[in-house]
Amino acid sequence: MKRTLILSATIAAQLASAIYAFGDIARPKPSPAEAKPVFYTGLTVTSDAKAYEARLQISPETLKRIQEAAANNGEKISMTQRIMHSSTRTMMAGLFMFLAV
């Protein structure tokens, strides 16, 4: 019983000290990102007595602006950003953390 109590107290002390170990590390500075385009469009719901299905109709101008914004958004991703947000990197990190334990 005494051994279990000492072991539990030791583990609790280590967990408590781990919280404060990274307390003085500065947060990363946010990178200046370009403003994303915001579309102000209206939505009008009307009923049609002849229709039996609901349909969403987008005006050609709005659709064109959405396509242009999507095309411009994908060009500015650097190789570093692709690696940082890859699922392979996440899986490898999890595997190595598992093996470390």
Side-chain angles (χ1 to χ4, degrees):
M1 179 71 182
K2 184 177 179 182
R3 187 176 188 187
T4 305
L5 183 62
I6 292 173
L7 182 63
S8 298
T10 305
I11 291 172
Q14 288 179 349
L15 289 174
S17 66
I19 293 171
Y20 295 107
F22 296 106
D24 61 344
I25 296 176
R27 292 184 179 177
K29 294 179 181 177
S31 62
E34 293 183 18
K36 294 183 179 180
V38 178
F39 301 114
Y40 295 102
T41 59
L43 179 68
T44 305
V45 179
T46 59
S47 61
D48 187 5
K50 300 175 187 175
Y52 293 102
E53 297 177 340
R55 293 187 334 176
L56 175 64
Q57 294 179 341
I58 300 174
S59 67
E61 297 85 22
T62 305
L63 185 60
K64 184 177 177 183
R65 289 189 339 198
I66 292 171
Q67 288 173 343
E68 289 173 359
N72 292 340
N73 203 11
E75 295 176 1
K76 302 189 182 198
I77 296 174
S78 67
M79 182 60 101
T80 307
Q81 289 175 336
R82 286 186 194 146
I83 292 172
M84 292 294 290
H85 296 106
S86 69
S87 60
T88 306
R89 179 176 183 249
T90 305
M91 290 187 296
M92 292 302 291
L95 176 67
F96 287 127
M97 287 174 58
F98 173 75
L99 292 175
V101 172

